[in-house]
Short mmCIF file of all heavy atoms in Angstrom, two decimals:
data_model
loop_
_atom_site.label_atom_id
_atom_site.label_comp_id
_atom_site.label_asym_id
_atom_site.label_seq_id
_atom_site.Cartn_x
_atom_site.Cartn_y
_atom_site.Cartn_z
N ASN A 8 -5.49 7.81 2.66
CA ASN A 8 -6.91 7.68 2.35
C ASN A 8 -7.58 6.74 3.43
O ASN A 8 -8.66 6.99 3.92
CB ASN A 8 -7.12 7.08 0.97
CG ASN A 8 -6.70 8.01 -0.13
OD1 ASN A 8 -6.53 9.21 0.11
ND2 ASN A 8 -6.52 7.44 -1.29
N ARG A 34 -33.55 6.07 31.35
CA ARG A 34 -34.87 5.71 30.84
C ARG A 34 -34.87 4.18 30.45
O ARG A 34 -35.91 3.56 30.53
CB ARG A 34 -35.22 6.53 29.66
CG ARG A 34 -35.54 8.01 30.08
CD ARG A 34 -35.87 8.90 28.89
NE ARG A 34 -36.07 10.29 29.40
CZ ARG A 34 -36.28 11.32 28.58
NH1 ARG A 34 -36.28 11.13 27.28
NH2 ARG A 34 -36.43 12.49 29.09
N ASN A 100 -41.50 0.81 18.45
CA ASN A 100 -41.45 2.13 19.11
C ASN A 100 -40.44 2.08 20.22
O ASN A 100 -40.33 1.10 21.00
CB ASN A 100 -42.78 2.48 19.72
CG ASN A 100 -43.89 2.57 18.67
OD1 ASN A 100 -44.85 1.82 18.71
ND2 ASN A 100 -43.79 3.55 17.79
N GLY A 139 -48.43 8.06 21.55
CA GLY A 139 -49.18 8.77 20.49
C GLY A 139 -48.44 9.97 19.98
O GLY A 139 -47.29 10.15 20.18
N HIS A 154 -48.78 12.31 6.93
CA HIS A 154 -48.65 12.34 8.37
C HIS A 154 -49.20 11.07 9.01
O HIS A 154 -49.36 10.04 8.37
CB HIS A 154 -49.39 13.59 8.91
CG HIS A 154 -48.64 14.87 8.68
ND1 HIS A 154 -49.13 16.09 9.02
CD2 HIS A 154 -47.38 15.11 8.13
CE1 HIS A 154 -48.25 17.01 8.71
NE2 HIS A 154 -47.20 16.47 8.21
N GLY A 184 -53.57 5.90 17.40
CA GLY A 184 -52.63 4.80 17.32
C GLY A 184 -53.27 3.44 17.70
O GLY A 184 -52.77 2.41 17.33
N THR A 229 -59.21 -7.04 29.48
CA THR A 229 -60.33 -6.37 28.84
C THR A 229 -60.41 -6.71 27.40
O THR A 229 -61.47 -7.10 26.87
CB THR A 229 -60.19 -4.84 29.02
OG1 THR A 229 -60.32 -4.50 30.41
CG2 THR A 229 -61.30 -4.08 28.25
N CYS A 231 -58.82 -9.11 25.60
CA CYS A 231 -58.81 -10.51 25.18
C CYS A 231 -60.09 -11.21 25.66
O CYS A 231 -60.45 -12.29 25.03
CB CYS A 231 -57.59 -11.21 25.73
SG CYS A 231 -56.02 -10.73 24.92
N CYS A 241 -50.53 -12.29 26.28
CA CYS A 241 -49.18 -12.79 26.57
C CYS A 241 -48.73 -12.49 27.95
O CYS A 241 -49.10 -11.37 28.48
CB CYS A 241 -48.17 -12.16 25.55
SG CYS A 241 -48.65 -12.39 23.80
N GLN A 270 -24.57 -19.42 -7.03
CA GLN A 270 -23.85 -19.55 -5.79
C GLN A 270 -22.95 -18.31 -5.56
O GLN A 270 -22.23 -17.90 -6.47
CB GLN A 270 -22.93 -20.81 -5.86
CG GLN A 270 -22.07 -21.03 -4.64
CD GLN A 270 -22.94 -21.37 -3.38
OE1 GLN A 270 -23.91 -22.10 -3.53
NE2 GLN A 270 -22.55 -20.87 -2.25
N ALA A 343 -11.75 10.62 -24.27
CA ALA A 343 -12.99 10.14 -24.95
C ALA A 343 -12.91 10.59 -26.38
O ALA A 343 -12.36 11.61 -26.78
CB ALA A 343 -14.23 10.72 -24.30
N SER A 362 -22.11 9.71 -22.18
CA SER A 362 -22.30 8.87 -20.99
C SER A 362 -23.76 8.72 -20.61
O SER A 362 -24.24 7.61 -20.29
CB SER A 362 -21.53 9.39 -19.82
OG SER A 362 -20.15 9.49 -20.09
N VAL A 391 -21.26 21.44 -18.22
CA VAL A 391 -21.85 22.71 -18.57
C VAL A 391 -20.99 23.41 -19.63
O VAL A 391 -19.95 22.94 -20.03
CB VAL A 391 -22.01 23.63 -17.36
CG1 VAL A 391 -22.98 22.99 -16.32
CG2 VAL A 391 -20.63 23.90 -16.70
N ILE A 400 -26.84 18.51 -24.14
CA ILE A 400 -26.67 17.79 -22.87
C ILE A 400 -28.01 17.67 -22.10
O ILE A 400 -28.27 16.64 -21.43
CB ILE A 400 -25.61 18.54 -22.00
CG1 ILE A 400 -25.28 17.79 -20.73
CG2 ILE A 400 -26.07 19.99 -21.67
CD1 ILE A 400 -24.54 16.49 -20.94
N ILE A 401 -28.90 18.67 -22.20
CA ILE A 401 -30.17 18.60 -21.46
C ILE A 401 -31.04 17.50 -22.06
O ILE A 401 -31.66 16.73 -21.31
CB ILE A 401 -30.91 19.97 -21.58
CG1 ILE A 401 -30.08 21.05 -20.81
CG2 ILE A 401 -32.28 19.84 -20.95
CD1 ILE A 401 -30.69 22.43 -21.05
N PHE A 489 -16.98 32.27 4.23
CA PHE A 489 -16.76 31.21 5.15
C PHE A 489 -17.97 30.94 6.02
O PHE A 489 -18.30 29.76 6.35
CB PHE A 489 -15.52 31.41 6.03
CG PHE A 489 -14.22 31.13 5.37
CD1 PHE A 489 -13.32 32.15 5.03
CD2 PHE A 489 -13.82 29.82 5.03
CE1 PHE A 489 -12.20 31.95 4.35
CE2 PHE A 489 -12.67 29.57 4.30
CZ PHE A 489 -11.83 30.60 4.01
N ILE A 491 -21.15 31.35 4.94
CA ILE A 491 -22.10 30.66 4.11
C ILE A 491 -21.59 29.18 3.87
O ILE A 491 -22.39 28.24 3.90
CB ILE A 491 -22.27 31.39 2.81
CG1 ILE A 491 -22.95 32.72 3.03
CG2 ILE A 491 -23.05 30.53 1.78
CD1 ILE A 491 -23.04 33.62 1.79
N TYR A 495 -23.45 25.66 4.58
CA TYR A 495 -23.79 24.78 3.44
C TYR A 495 -23.12 23.42 3.60
O TYR A 495 -23.73 22.41 3.30
CB TYR A 495 -23.31 25.45 2.19
CG TYR A 495 -24.08 25.01 0.94
CD1 TYR A 495 -25.24 25.64 0.55
CD2 TYR A 495 -23.63 23.91 0.15
CE1 TYR A 495 -25.94 25.25 -0.56
CE2 TYR A 495 -24.32 23.51 -0.93
CZ TYR A 495 -25.48 24.17 -1.30
OH TYR A 495 -26.21 23.80 -2.40
N ASP A 511 -31.46 5.97 3.54
CA ASP A 511 -31.93 5.01 4.54
C ASP A 511 -30.92 4.72 5.63
O ASP A 511 -31.32 4.32 6.73
CB ASP A 511 -32.33 3.72 3.85
CG ASP A 511 -33.59 3.89 2.94
OD1 ASP A 511 -34.52 4.57 3.36
OD2 ASP A 511 -33.58 3.36 1.81
N ALA A 533 -41.62 -9.58 -4.69
CA ALA A 533 -42.65 -8.82 -5.38
C ALA A 533 -42.49 -8.97 -6.92
O ALA A 533 -41.65 -8.33 -7.54
CB ALA A 533 -42.59 -7.36 -5.00
N ILE A 535 -42.69 -8.57 -10.86
CA ILE A 535 -42.89 -7.42 -11.68
C ILE A 535 -44.18 -7.58 -12.49
O ILE A 535 -44.35 -8.51 -13.21
CB ILE A 535 -41.71 -7.23 -12.60
CG1 ILE A 535 -40.43 -6.96 -11.81
CG2 ILE A 535 -41.94 -6.05 -13.59
CD1 ILE A 535 -39.11 -6.94 -12.63
#
Side-chain angles (χ1 to χ4, degrees):
N8 294 343
R34 291 179 182 173
N100 298 116
H154 284 177
T229 295
C231 288
C241 305
Q270 181 66 40
S362 300
V391 297
I400 186 71
I401 297 173
F489 282 110
I491 294 173
Y495 207 88
D511 292 317
I535 296 172

